[in-house]
Amino acid sequence: MRASGSSTQRRGLRDDLFDRMRAGFTFDEVQEPAIDQQLAWFEHNPDYLERVLPARSALACTHVVTEVEARGMPLEFRAPAGVESAL
């Protein structure tokens, strides 16, 4: 199944989604070596998210973010859905 729209449009939707998610993060930042190690891995492997969050997952991600926002919940709760489904 091919995603509709140009890559610029898809990137814009993704960027907006990530902006919404960052704006909804409310948990306090934690200093934890295991978390720092994982963050460093993502920083050194930026193409990973491009592979695991393809355009076809944008609708599902958008839906989950919208539902979490509608319930007034912290958007950190959106992350397990992505991890669990290996989007």
Side-chain angles (χ1 to χ4, degrees):
M1 174 189 238
R2 293 190 59 143
S4 62
S6 72
S7 63
T8 302
Q9 288 172 321
R10 289 191 303 271
R11 185 170 298 265
L13 290 173
R14 188 204 66 204
D15 291 346
D16 176 62
L17 181 64
F18 282 109
D19 288 342
R20 286 172 58 195
M21 289 173 56
R22 279 189 291 272
F25 289 167
T26 62
F27 289 178
D28 292 334
E29 190 168 326
V30 177
Q31 297 300 317
E32 176 66 42
I35 293 172
D36 293 338
Q37 181 180 12
Q38 293 298 310
L39 288 173
W41 188 89
F42 281 107
E43 289 172 357
H44 290 97
N45 297 280
D47 61 317
Y48 176 75
L49 290 179
E50 290 294 329
R51 290 194 317 269
V52 299
L53 293 176
R56 67 179 182 268
S57 70
L59 291 177
C61 291
T62 300
H63 174 72
V64 173
V65 167
T66 299
E67 291 299 317
V68 171
E69 287 174 329
R71 289 167 173 73
M73 298 169 62
L75 280 173
E76 287 89 349
F77 286 113
R78 183 266 171 261
V83 171
E84 188 65 30
S85 67
L87 290 174

